[in-house]
Amino acid sequence: MPHNLKLYFSFFIFPFLIPGIHSTLFAQAAETKYVMVIHGGAGTILKSSMSAEKEKAYTEALTLALQQGYTLLKAGKTSLDAVEAAIRVLEDSPLFNAGKGSVFTHDGRNELDASIMNGKTLEAGAVAGVTTVRNPISAARAVMEKSQHVMMAGPGAEQFAKEAGIEMVDASYFKTRERWEALQKAIRDDSLKNKPDQGNKKPAKAGVINKDNKFGTVGAVALDHAGNLAAGTSTGGMTNKKYGRIGDSPVIGAGTYANNATAGISCTGWGEFYIRCVVAHDISALMEYKGLSVEQATQTVLDKVSKLGGDGGIIALDKNGHAAMPFNTAGMYRGTVSSEGKIEIMIYR
Amino acid sequence: MPHNLKLYFSFFIFPFLIPGIHSTLFAQAAETKYVMVIHGGAGTILKSSMSAEKEKAYTEALTLALQQGYTLLKAGKTSLDAVEAAIRVLEDSPLFNAGKGSVFTHDGRNELDASIMNGKTLEAGAVAGVTTVRNPISAARAVMEKSQHVMMAGPGAEQFAKEAGIEMVDASYFKTRERWEALQKAIRDDSLKNKPDQGNKKPAKAGVINKDNKFGTVGAVALDHAGNLAAGTSTGGMTNKKYGRIGDSPVIGAGTYANNATAGISCTGWGEFYIRCVVAHDISALMEYKGLSVEQATQTVLDKVSKLGGDGGIIALDKNGHAAMPFNTAGMYRGTVSSEGKIEIMIYR
């Protein structure tokens, strides 16, 4: 890992500032230890349809997110701090379907979901369907740290975020032209199909129509100097979504899970299948109960998603700094930073 | 199982109507095979504080739920049909914190959650925060069978339920005097404590204050003649809940999970801990990956919940008809029906 390096960026850092890194650097030079992995969504991302300009923009945003996270880890901050900071960068970018770049619901609204989990304590926080929280990942963290709850939804979640001092914005902050046009297209496409049915009954049909309506979720997993893992996920949901649909991103165990005993995991893809497969927790369970490696476990569970008819990707980082980032789509925006600060960004297969 | 029979009801049936039961009856007379297990919530349920009249009412409601489920199974209907029917009985009773007897939120509303899962297909459906759906378990089933989604929340979920032909009621249907008084008491108690904090940080304190505010969830697991498992859970949430809190009941993997490869599971208790421990899926994973029995797996995961400071109970039924119903509270309303139609109801330890 990574096997499919397409783009490469070097980010000079000071490894001697991170306890334990210095000796590791020389003792295990052959094996890269990662301290953070991120994703910006999986989907039909083809080199043939990507302009050099767009590729550069995505690469820069992903690099910035990893830099921010790494800088915090280097300064001795926690994996939770790094995960939150990296995801905030991606939320603030209009490129990804999270925060600023969130897609529109059928009613022309932006309903955002996010979750975060602390691998040391198994504490977790999540918000679903918030419309005026600039950085849902920070609201999720506030739920974890400042409430006795794990999951909050809708206006109640926004009220809590406000009381917790989280930055609120007008709902219009999330309205971008590109996403609005995507909604109009989705509504046109949607009118061509019949009544909706459960994804797995007619996967090919539903898959064609909704193929790019459900992707772009962002996520991060980090491992800090104390050996603690954290994972987080943030999304704008599915273009043209109806009925207050909640996907896997705010569901602990499905879209996000972290456990120091195994790994931190963040998912992106067709949320319904990720919930049904309890993807993030299943990866942890395979590692803990069957001794699978993070590579084996992520691939095994992604194969289960594929078998049911779902698609998407997974990023995972285990307690030893081993990373895995499988996906069954054409591409997945993703990146890693090693303990030495080497940043790698990948987009295609 | 069950070891702690306190009350006993016999329900005469026709075992020869169920394919396979007749021969099993004689070949494995020593080992009871269960076809359905239900719960009506765990908590501080002490014989010393229970009137004979109240005990009788609970016993009758639980018996009726099992009878309805069993009658359907006997007639060759699916485990999903049995689970839905049994939960509807408990939802329609004012005795349980689900449907008619739902507790009040801090704002004096009744926000109901439910989920259901098909162990054969891993299809699932859930609704969260609905206020005008008479039987949330039926809305959850409609989400599973009539939409392409798994989870819906709030007004969107209600709109879907209405379009799907689910019975709607005025929000006042859920207002019962006993629950309203419980809210007033909870508000008084709540004013005595400081800012809320994550459950596990001060479990003793938060536990004392909220002890009986979070219980009463109902659930059912059934195994049909075709060997298919299904599980469902329904709740009115936590008395005095704020901020659009969502507990474990509508979260697939946490409060509900079913998989023909292992077991069907429904949970009741302090939802935050059940989400963090991904309880229902963890039980399935321990059975599938470590070969634990349903008794071992449920107890192992309940111990994890206890260790973090949480409490509650679990009901599970495996693919062979073995049942387990552990809880770490004083009592749990629960019941079983065997393949021969023998109904057993238990309340205390």
Side-chain angles (χ1 to χ4, degrees), chain A:
Chain A
M1 250 300 305
H3 303 294
N4 306 305
L5 177 64
K6 297 290 192 234
L7 298 158
Y8 181 91
F9 281 73
S10 183
F11 176 49
F12 182 73
I13 49 85
F14 308 94
F16 49 83
L17 289 178
I18 303 189
I21 294 302
H22 197 251
S23 55
T24 310
L25 201 61
F26 298 97
Q28 307 182 344
E31 189 185 342
T32 304
K33 177 177 170 171
Y34 297 97
V35 292
M36 189 165 203
V37 294
I38 63 171
H39 69 79
T44 312
I45 308 165
L46 297 167
K47 179 123 182 115
S48 56
S49 58
M50 177 80 79
S51 69
E53 188 186 25
K54 204 171 170 187
E55 191 174 277
K56 184 167 174 284
Y58 275 104
T59 302
E60 285 176 354
L62 291 165
T63 301
L64 181 61
L66 286 166
Q67 284 174 340
Q68 299 251 346
Y70 187 80
T71 301
L72 291 171
L73 291 173
K74 190 179 66 171
K77 298 288 186 184
T78 66
S79 50
L80 280 172
D81 291 331
V83 162
E84 183 185 2
I87 290 178
R88 284 176 67 100
V89 168
L90 302 176
E91 285 177 336
D92 287 345
S93 164
L95 294 170
F96 306 96
N97 176 21
K100 178 68 184 163
S102 290
V103 300
F104 285 88
T105 66
H106 182 72
D107 300 329
R109 291 154 54 85
N110 302 100
E111 293 179 353
L112 288 58
D113 306 328
S115 65
I116 194 165
M117 188 161 184
N118 181 336
K120 182 186 177 187
T121 61
L122 302 183
E123 289 174 299
V127 291
V130 295
T131 61
T132 57
V133 176
R134 176 172 167 165
N135 294 105
I137 193 67
S138 298
R141 188 173 178 183
V143 170
M144 175 171 73
E145 296 180 342
K146 298 179 180 177
S147 88
Q148 60 182 341
H149 299 315
V150 168
M151 191 172 191
M152 297 183 186
E158 298 189 79
Q159 185 193 331
F160 172 81
K162 203 172 175 181
E163 291 176 14
I166 299 297
E167 184 182 352
M168 309 300 286
V169 291
D170 188 87
S172 62
Y173 165 81
F174 300 105
K175 300 200 185 309
T176 62
R177 199 180 66 181
E178 189 179 336
R179 302 302 191 192
W180 181 257
E181 285 166 359
L183 171 64
Q184 306 315 314
K185 183 179 181 304
I187 289 174
R188 283 195 303 274
D189 291 349
D190 202 36
S191 67
L192 301 176
K193 71 167 182 169
N194 298 324
K195 295 282 281 182
D197 38 36
Q198 179 92 357
N200 70 327
K201 282 181 187 160
K202 299 177 182 175
K205 185 184 174 191
V208 167
I209 292 172
N210 292 318
K211 206 165 191 63
D212 286 320
N213 291 350
K214 62 192 177 300
F215 298 113
T217 296
V218 307
V221 184
L223 174 63
D224 64 28
H225 64 287
N228 293 322
L229 288 162
T233 309
S234 182
T235 189
M238 183 186 277
T239 298
N240 195 27
K241 79 172 178 181
K242 297 173 190 170
Y243 306 125
R245 177 254 190 188
I246 294 179
D248 63 318
S249 300
V251 177
I252 298 299
T256 303
Y257 186 74
N259 189 332
N260 276 6
T262 54
I265 300 119
S266 171
C267 302
T268 175
W270 197 334
E272 278 69 16
F273 294 93
Y274 280 72
I275 295 177
R276 292 167 55 196
C277 292
V278 198
V279 168
H281 182 265
D282 199 26
I283 290 165
S284 176
L286 282 166
M287 294 176 70
E288 187 172 359
Y289 304 145
K290 289 195 81 172
L292 263 58
S293 70
V294 68
E295 291 84 357
Q296 293 168 328
T298 49
Q299 192 59 55
T300 299
V301 181
L302 184 62
D303 289 346
K304 292 185 188 182
V305 171
S306 301
K307 201 176 164 191
L308 287 182
D311 53 2
I314 298 164
I315 63 166
L317 184 64
D318 77 10
K319 58 184 175 180
N320 300 313
H322 297 137
M325 308 177 90
F327 53 98
N328 66 359
T329 49
M332 176 165 79
Y333 299 108
R334 61 204 189 278
T336 58
V337 57
S338 72
S339 53
E340 304 99 62
K342 195 173 94 175
I343 287 178
E344 293 170 302
I345 305 295
M346 295 146 278
I347 298 178
Y348 318 105
R349 286 214 162 265

Side-chain angles (χ1 to χ4, degrees), chain B residues 210-280:
Chain B
N210 291 319
K211 205 163 193 64
D212 285 319
N213 291 349
K214 59 192 179 302
F215 298 112
T217 296
V218 308
V221 184
L223 174 63
D224 64 27
H225 65 286
N228 293 322
L229 287 161
T233 309
S234 181
T235 190
M238 183 185 278
T239 299
N240 196 27
K241 78 171 179 180
K242 297 173 190 170
Y243 306 127
R245 176 255 191 186
I246 294 179
D248 63 317
S249 300
V251 177
I252 297 299
T256 303
Y257 187 74
N259 189 331
N260 275 4
T262 54
I265 300 119
S266 172
C267 302
T268 174
W270 197 335
E272 278 69 17
F273 294 92
Y274 279 72
I275 295 176
R276 292 167 57 197
C277 291
V278 199
V279 168

Side-chain angles (χ1 to χ4, degrees), chain B residues 47-66:
Chain B
K47 179 124 182 114
S48 56
S49 59
M50 177 81 78
S51 68
E53 188 185 24
K54 205 170 170 188
E55 193 177 275
K56 183 166 174 283
Y58 276 104
T59 302
E60 284 176 356
L62 291 164
T63 301
L64 181 62
L66 285 167

Side-chain angles (χ1 to χ4, degrees), chain B residues 62-77:
Chain B
L62 291 164
T63 301
L64 181 62
L66 285 167
Q67 284 174 341
Q68 298 252 344
Y70 187 80
T71 300
L72 291 169
L73 291 172
K74 191 180 65 171
K77 299 288 184 181

